[in-house]
Amino acid sequence: MRFDRQKLSWALYDWANSAFATTVMAGFFPLFFKQYWQAGAEAGLSSFRLGLANSSAALLVAVMAPILGAVADRTARKKRFLAGFAALGMLMTGALFCVAQGQWWLALGLYIGASVGFLAGNIFYDALLPEVAADHELDRTSALGFALGYLGGGLLFAFNVLMLLQPAWFGLADATEAVPWAFVSVSLWWALFSLPLWWLVDEPAAPYRETRWAAIRAGLRQLRRTLGELPQQPAVLYFLLAYWLYIDGVNTVVVMAVDYGMALGLAQQSLISALLLTQFVGFPAALLFGRLGDRFGPKAGIFVAIAIYMAVTVAASLLRNEAQFYGLAVAIGLVQGGVQSLSRSLYARLLPRDRAAEYFSFYGVLGKFAAILGPLLVGAVSYLSGSPRLSILSILLLFAAGAWCLGRVDLEAARRTR
């Protein structure tokens, strides 16, 4: 399959916003929060506050996404909603530059705002996938987005790690001064590489001509109608339940990995380097999973990824040193992009194309509800038990239950009823 201008422009948004996921969510924010904004606080308390912040952002998105998705479908404003939330994320990320030492409450407030922009924007970005790719192109197009996300996010993360390790090369006094500039670089990177999507990706005209308030009322009616229809769509329901369960573990690994490593006493530089390694392993691995989806179907690829994640979870509970952390980073890099890209393309096969934003809002909401439970559970178990090793094992049941539900998704039956 050859990628045309629209597919490449759409996929470049993954390159743009993945810098937030890598440098901010997975990398520097947990590190800086624990060592600078929360300096002197007990480790379990800072982990709990970070988990609560991630859960709060996810809850805000979960509450508003279905209504906004229904309105976006009726008004053909997926790109406009995406632009608004992306701008929120960019501005809040850049504003972290101004947070002084000890102002953990302000840092968390800005982080929540930036995370809302990132998470909500992705709902409308995902909803554009059926607009730029036909059914037979979904797996590879989705995989291209995640692959570029790993590469783009990894490149900026590598630059930011270099700033952290060699601040004098950039005219900075020390690593503490470098981190706020890393947040600024993410904001600028996100803005610059979003431009091709705004300029080159077409969105079909709205099938309705309505005022803003009429669109909101009609969107609410449409949302109620869709919720009533879902029980008659077992493939959609089983997939959403499966996704909710297994992506909980995936999201927890993403947002809590550095915090977990620090709680075990691993070296800061090793944790950051391992995250960087994950990014560059993830680039070819995501493309490979796209081909796997083409040949064997997206369900088979997701099953492989879940099995590897379960093995990684057990291994993480036995983690002893930095070398083992590097090994787990490679294993995660091999499957993280694959499970995300194939989940997106499998779901796109199940939904009505003219209601993509609304249906992807359910997909996004369940992913965010999963992100509410996972980080909060890991943080709370760590705080109450004093054992981060015990807390990480709590997600095994979610992976297993997700795999069982995924096995009940009948893709062929869903295609006949679309």
Side-chain angles (χ1 to χ4, degrees):
M1 183 185 73
R2 304 181 71 176
F3 295 111
D4 58 28
R5 183 184 67 177
Q6 288 215 84
K7 294 182 183 65
L8 287 171
S9 299
W10 174 85
L12 271 174
Y13 184 76
D14 252 314
W15 171 292
N17 79 343
S18 290
F20 178 81
T22 54
T23 292
V24 181
M25 293 185 81
F28 286 9
F29 187 86
L31 182 70
F32 213 54
F33 182 72
K34 190 178 288 288
Q35 294 188 344
Y36 184 74
W37 288 315
Q38 274 268 265
E42 194 271 324
L45 178 61
S46 64
S47 294
F48 175 74
R49 284 173 173 166
L50 179 61
L52 186 61
N54 282 304
S55 298
S56 298
L59 181 60
L60 286 171
V61 174
V63 168
M64 64 184 173
I67 298 172
L68 295 179
V71 173
D73 281 331
R74 294 188 66 86
T75 59
R77 290 179 177 174
K78 300 182 189 72
K79 285 176 62 176
R80 191 173 299 183
F81 277 106
L82 172 56
F85 282 111
L88 173 66
M90 296 167 198
L91 290 172
M92 295 295 102
T93 300
L96 288 170
F97 177 86
C98 304
V99 181
Q101 186 173 13
Q103 293 182 322
W104 62 267
W105 45 272
L106 179 57
L108 283 185
L110 293 173
Y111 176 70
I112 290 171
S115 298
V116 167
F118 172 77
L119 297 171
N122 278 345
I123 291 172
F124 300 101
Y125 168 64
D126 290 344
L128 288 169
L129 174 60
E131 306 286 2
V132 300
D135 274 6
H136 68 281
E137 301 171 320
L138 289 171
D139 293 328
R140 290 204 190 181
T141 304
S142 181
L144 176 67
F146 276 103
L148 289 180
Y150 276 106
L151 184 58
L155 287 173
L156 185 62
F157 191 38
F159 176 76
N160 289 327
V161 169
L162 190 61
M163 289 173 60
L164 185 74
L165 300 180
Q166 301 292 340
W169 293 1
F170 303 91
L172 302 171
D174 52 29
T176 300
E177 188 178 350
V179 173
W181 282 108
F183 295 141
V184 172
S185 73
V186 169
S187 181
L188 296 175
W189 180 280
W190 193 349
L192 176 63
F193 291 105
S194 297
L195 295 177
L197 186 147
W198 317 136
W199 291 339
L200 301 175
V201 172
D202 297 326
E203 184 175 2
Y208 314 98
R209 292 186 176 274
E210 298 169 318
T211 65
R212 182 177 303 173
W213 291 111
I216 291 173
R217 290 193 297 270
L220 287 169
R221 290 194 299 270
Q222 180 176 307
L223 178 60
R224 287 194 297 269
R225 185 170 63 251
T226 301
L227 289 172
E229 294 171 357
L230 281 177
Q232 284 74 53
Q233 301 182 65
V236 173
L237 281 178
Y238 271 118
F239 174 80
L240 287 175
L241 180 58
Y243 179 73
W244 177 38
L245 292 165
Y246 69 70
I247 212 65
D248 181 282
V250 174
N251 288 342
T252 303
V253 169
V254 170
V255 301
M256 301 298 287
V258 167
D259 186 83
Y260 175 67
M262 291 177 66
L264 295 181
L266 303 185
Q268 167 187 317
Q269 292 186 4
S270 296
L271 297 175
I272 295 298
S273 299
L275 283 176
L276 185 59
L277 177 62
T278 299
Q279 293 303 116
F280 290 106
V281 172
F283 169 64
L287 293 176
L288 179 62
F289 264 85
R291 290 182 176 273
L292 182 65
D294 272 355
R295 183 165 184 178
F296 300 105
K299 279 178 61 176
I302 296 172
F303 278 128
V304 170
I306 290 174
I308 294 175
Y309 261 111
M310 293 180 74
V312 165
T313 301
V314 174
S317 71
L318 305 173
L319 189 67
R320 297 293 176 188
N321 54 51
E322 282 87 354
Q324 293 171 347
F325 194 85
Y326 279 113
L328 294 181
V330 171
I332 291 169
L334 289 172
V335 295
Q336 185 170 293
V339 71
Q340 293 170 320
S341 69
L342 291 181
S343 295
R344 181 166 64 185
S345 62
L346 175 57
Y347 187 60
R349 286 174 165 83
L350 303 175
L351 54 85
R353 284 179 176 266
D354 61 344
R355 292 152 73 182
E358 182 185 359
Y359 271 78
F360 264 110
S361 72
F362 301 138
Y363 175 84
V365 162
L366 289 179
K368 304 314 167 280
F369 271 122
I372 293 170
L373 176 61
L376 190 60
L377 180 63
V378 169
V381 172
S382 177
Y383 180 60
L384 294 173
S385 70
S387 173
R389 298 183 188 279
L390 180 62
S391 68
I392 203 70
L393 287 173
S394 63
I395 64 175
L396 276 177
L397 182 61
L398 297 171
F399 281 127
W404 182 84
C405 293
L406 182 65
R408 300 184 67 84
V409 175
D410 189 339
L411 184 56
E412 292 303 318
R415 282 175 175 159
R416 291 193 296 269
T417 59
R418 277 179 69 183

